[in-house]
């Protein structure tokens, strides 16, 4: 352990100083045993805390209640349901669709490793999103991209059950473009159709049919939704399209190819790669930038289907994987002293969870075809990729200089003051009286732990020096999001079944 990390650790956990004096030879590493099955259950349970709409009888996160029941009234349409994406009460379509894609991909790749009850819970979490996403594309040449005015919402600290802020509906009508949100929604519907195919083939067929229509909208009217002056102030700077819409078109086509096996989409990703920037080899993957995920997804066709016309995608995937290997000459991903993948900006753990997911998926593709990864000065096996992923997972679950689980409710030491309205305000079950917009400020400013535990939520995470202050106001570190959790579901399913990867 580096000296800086050790000093940081001793500052936050002074009892360790005494422990080290008494046991000087004891290795300074936190227990590497983790209950991945417990973490898996909790990572899925989290989504119940984010639900909008009418809650079902079997709702397990019982401190939540119905909310957002009039969503869509401005357009005389039903837009109830879906998820609040983070600690506020807005339904942002762009990250919600990405969350849905990643939950579905988790089930597609790792669902057969999940205990039957958790696979069922994961499918329920996906369907809560897809039922809503189907509503957003239910009208021809229109996509509803958001419900709730974030500028007004963010000026309040109130429970979703008490919302009295404007539930503004943001819609894009052709020929105005929304290639990013529509492309991601098409991806979500296509991927989820695969997740449901064996358990509900009728629903899967509906999802795939809508995915095809939604992709046509995305492709026919090209452009970024946040460039639309009618909605820009509502989606920016929160979920602006910062990286361009082109990656979502390729991503959507790749998912439609995988879900339908239609050669039309194969031709699309073959012929549009250069014009839509696939060769840019951007080492990012998240709600805004799909490049690294796209390359891994398409690589399956090359590795398992010998589709050499897509070789450039695999080359980009190989390049990305090599940047993650510290021993490789092309390694350039930044790590904290404690070993966490770190990228500047907020909600850093979104990078750790999505990259861990890609490491495991690519390892599977390589292993199934008995291949290794050539990183120039070093050959990398599938097992090496899995070890890299496990380091990130174990860090998040507590093997870090703070000795803190960044998943709420997992282990005995986790963030207590997360930036989340419903969690930080008293439940309507305990405090049925209405709490108005500004009346929640006393709870926001309180140093007390949140009264409602948002079990399974993964917060934004620590600083580049591995420090974490557990401060509700520091939303970049203390706010959970659905898109941090979604890929982690698949990752935890893998490690629950394979705690010691090889």
């Amino acid at each position: 352990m580096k000296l800086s990390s050790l000093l940081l650790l001793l500052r936050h956990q002074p009892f360790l100083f005494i422990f080290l004096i008494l046991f000087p030879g004891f290795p300074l590493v936190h227990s590497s045993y983790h209950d991945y099955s417990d973490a898996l259950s909790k990572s899925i349970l989290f989504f119940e805390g984010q639900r909008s709409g009418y809650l079902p009888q079997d709702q397990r996160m019982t401190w939540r209640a119905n909310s957002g029941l009039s969503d869509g009234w401005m357009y005389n349409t039903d837009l109830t349901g879906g998820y609040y994406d983070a600690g506020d009460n807005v339904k942002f379509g762009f990250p919600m669709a990405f969350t849905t894609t990643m939950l579905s991909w988790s089930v597609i790749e790792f669902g057969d490793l999940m205990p039957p009850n958790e696979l069922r819970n994961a499918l329920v979490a996906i369907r809560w999103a897809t039922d809503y996403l189907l509503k957003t594309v239910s009208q021809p040449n229109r996509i509803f991209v958001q419900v709730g005015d974030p500028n007004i919402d963010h000026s309040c600290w109130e429970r979703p059950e008490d919302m009295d802020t404007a539930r503004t509906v943001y819609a894009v009508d052709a020929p105005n473009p929304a290639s990013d949100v529509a492309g991601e929604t098409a991806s979500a519907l296509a991927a989820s159709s695969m997740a449901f195919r064996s358990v509900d083939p009728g629903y899967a067929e509906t999802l795939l049919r809508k995915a095809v229509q939604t992709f046509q909208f995305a492709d026919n009217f090209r452009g970024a939704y946040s460039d639309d002056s009618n909605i820009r102030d509502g989606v920016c700077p929160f979920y602006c399209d910062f990286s361009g819409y082109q990656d979502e078109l390729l991503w959507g086509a790749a998912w439609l190819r995988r879900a339908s096996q239609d050669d039309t989409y194969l031709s699309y990703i073959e012929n549009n790669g250069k014009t839509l920037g696939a060769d840019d080899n951007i080492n990012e993957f998240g709600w805004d930038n799909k490049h690294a995920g796209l390359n891994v997804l398409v690589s399956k066709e090359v590795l398992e289907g010998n589709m050499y016309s897509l070789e450039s995608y695999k080359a980009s995937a190989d390049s990305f994987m090599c940047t993650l290997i510290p021993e490789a000459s092309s390694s350039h991903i930044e790590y904290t002293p404690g070993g966490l993948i770190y990228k500047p900006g907020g909600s850093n753990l979104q990078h750790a969870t999505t990259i861990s997911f890609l490491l495991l998926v690519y390892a599977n593709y390589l292993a199934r075809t008995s291949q290794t990864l050539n990183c120039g000065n070093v050959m990398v096996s599938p097992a090496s990729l899995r070890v890299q992923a496990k380091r990130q997972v174990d860090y998040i679950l507590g093997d870090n200089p703070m000795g803190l689980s960044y998943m709420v409710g997992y282990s005995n030491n986790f963030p207590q003051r997360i930036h989340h309205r419903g969690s930080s305000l008293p439940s309507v079950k305990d405090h049925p009286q209405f709490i108005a917009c500004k009346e929640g400020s006393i709870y926001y400013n309180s140093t007390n732990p949140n009264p409602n535990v948002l079990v399974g939520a993964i917060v934004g995470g620590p600083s580049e020096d591995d420090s974490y202050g557990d401060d509700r106001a520091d939303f970049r570190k203390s706010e959970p999001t659905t898109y941090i959790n979604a890929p982690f579901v698949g990752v935890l399913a893998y490690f629950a079944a394979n705690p010691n990867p090889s």
Side-chain angles (χ1 to χ4, degrees):
M1 174 175 283
K2 290 188 177 180
L3 181 60
S4 59
S5 299
L6 175 57
L7 293 173
L8 189 71
L9 183 62
L10 293 175
R11 192 168 81 234
H12 289 282
Q13 300 191 31
F15 71 89
L16 271 178
F17 184 72
I18 300 167
F19 184 87
L20 288 172
I21 291 173
L22 295 174
F23 303 97
F26 196 87
L28 223 179
V29 179
H30 298 290
S31 167
S32 58
Y33 171 76
H34 286 292
D35 189 342
Y36 299 114
S37 295
D38 180 52
L40 170 64
S41 301
K42 288 171 176 171
S43 70
I44 300 169
L45 176 60
F46 156 75
F47 288 93
E48 294 192 16
Q50 298 301 110
R51 284 172 169 172
S52 181
Y54 293 93
L55 302 189
Q57 290 294 311
D58 61 356
Q59 169 81 10
R60 294 175 293 166
M61 206 78 87
T62 54
W63 49 268
R64 284 294 322 283
N66 298 338
S67 64
L69 302 185
S70 64
D71 284 358
W73 70 268
M74 290 173 62
Y75 275 81
N76 196 29
T77 193
D78 173 18
L79 291 176
T80 58
Y83 291 116
Y84 305 117
D85 82 297
D88 57 19
N89 300 324
V90 182
K91 295 192 304 204
F92 293 99
F94 197 13
M96 196 195 307
F98 177 70
T99 291
T100 311
T101 307
M102 294 310 298
L103 275 175
S104 300
W105 201 4
S106 291
V107 166
I108 292 165
E109 300 288 350
F110 305 109
D112 59 346
L113 302 178
M114 296 181 184
N117 62 317
E118 293 308 341
L119 176 57
R120 179 195 156 276
N121 289 335
L123 289 170
V124 168
I126 294 169
R127 185 156 188 159
W128 196 269
T130 52
D131 281 352
Y132 172 79
L133 292 177
L134 287 172
K135 295 176 182 181
T136 69
V137 293
S138 61
Q139 299 176 13
N141 285 325
R142 169 181 286 168
I143 181 169
F144 295 104
V145 298
Q146 186 170 312
V147 180
D149 183 324
N151 296 294
I152 299 173
D153 179 275
H154 290 180
S155 70
C156 296
W157 194 259
E158 61 183 347
R159 303 176 293 201
E161 294 83 1
D162 287 336
M163 269 190 295
D164 54 357
T165 53
R167 299 301 287 168
T168 307
V169 173
Y170 298 84
V172 176
D173 292 305
N176 294 306
S179 298
D180 30 33
V181 186
E184 186 60 65
T185 301
S187 301
L189 296 174
S192 57
S193 77
M194 295 180 67
F196 281 103
R197 190 167 290 158
S198 62
V199 294
D200 192 340
Y203 188 59
E205 187 55 41
T206 298
L207 292 167
L208 185 55
R209 187 175 67 252
K210 279 293 181 183
V212 170
Q213 294 171 5
T214 306
F215 182 75
Q216 287 172 342
F217 180 84
D219 194 37
N220 289 344
F221 310 105
R222 293 189 179 188
Y225 86 126
S226 51
D227 288 344
D228 186 333
S229 59
N230 293 322
I231 64 171
R232 183 174 179 80
D233 290 345
V235 302
C236 295
F238 315 101
Y239 292 102
C240 249
D241 185 334
F242 297 100
S243 71
Y245 64 87
Q246 294 88 342
D247 52 330
E248 276 82 26
L249 291 176
L250 290 168
W251 178 239
W255 272 113
L256 278 160
R257 162 64 181 171
R258 181 141 173 199
S260 69
Q261 289 300 300
D262 188 330
D263 286 346
T264 306
Y265 300 108
L266 173 61
S267 299
Y268 189 99
I269 52 181
E270 284 173 346
N271 299 331
N272 288 282
K274 280 189 166 45
T275 55
L276 293 178
D279 292 345
D280 294 352
N281 201 11
I282 298 166
N283 294 321
E284 285 281 342
F285 187 47
W287 62 263
D288 183 37
N289 197 317
K290 312 298 152 42
H291 280 91
L294 166 71
N295 293 328
V296 168
L297 178 66
V298 174
S299 293
K300 180 180 168 67
E301 296 244 26
V302 183
L303 287 162
E304 298 181 16
N306 299 318
M307 197 71 68
Y308 296 114
S309 60
L310 301 172
E311 181 67 43
S312 63
Y313 290 91
K314 180 187 175 295
S316 293
D318 287 350
S319 173
F320 174 65
M321 291 294 150
C322 292
T323 68
L324 304 172
I325 306 300
E327 303 80 33
S329 55
S330 57
S331 174
H332 67 245
I333 293 289
E334 191 177 331
Y335 289 87
T336 67
L340 178 70
I341 288 171
Y342 189 83
K343 287 178 178 285
S347 301
N348 182 63
L349 288 184
Q350 67 179 304
H351 305 298
T353 61
T354 55
I355 289 173
S356 297
F357 181 89
L358 294 182
L359 283 163
L360 292 181
V361 170
Y362 207 58
N364 276 0
Y365 295 168
L366 291 170
R368 284 203 287 267
T369 53
S370 303
Q371 296 195 45
T372 54
L373 182 61
N374 182 353
C375 290
N377 63 321
V378 60
M379 295 301 290
V380 179
S381 67
S384 297
L385 298 181
R386 290 167 177 149
V387 167
Q388 289 295 117
K390 189 173 187 293
R391 286 179 187 146
Q392 299 304 302
V393 175
D394 290 350
Y395 184 107
I396 291 170
L397 295 180
D399 290 5
N400 56 63
M402 297 291 291
L404 184 72
S405 162
Y406 289 104
M407 176 184 283
V408 173
Y410 177 84
S411 87
N412 297 319
N413 188 20
F414 55 84
Q416 303 290 316
R417 299 164 193 84
I418 67 171
H419 182 97
H420 189 276
R421 286 157 177 77
S423 172
S424 67
L425 290 152
S427 167
V428 289
K429 308 287 172 66
D430 300 325
H431 187 292
Q433 298 82 8
F434 175 74
I435 301 175
C437 170
K438 297 298 184 184
E439 291 175 0
S441 299
I442 58 167
Y443 301 100
Y444 175 77
N445 294 319
S446 168
T447 55
N448 293 331
N450 289 7
N452 309 306
V453 180
L454 186 61
V455 175
I458 303 171
V459 296
S463 298
E464 57 191 322
D465 63 356
D466 296 300
S467 63
Y468 183 82
D470 200 11
D471 178 1
R472 195 176 294 117
D474 190 357
F475 66 90
R476 288 181 177 82
K477 295 178 187 171
S478 63
E479 187 172 22
T481 73
T482 57
Y483 48 86
I484 296 177
N485 266 67
F488 214 52
V489 169
V491 170
L492 290 169
Y494 177 81
F495 286 116
N498 303 278
N500 297 298
S502 60

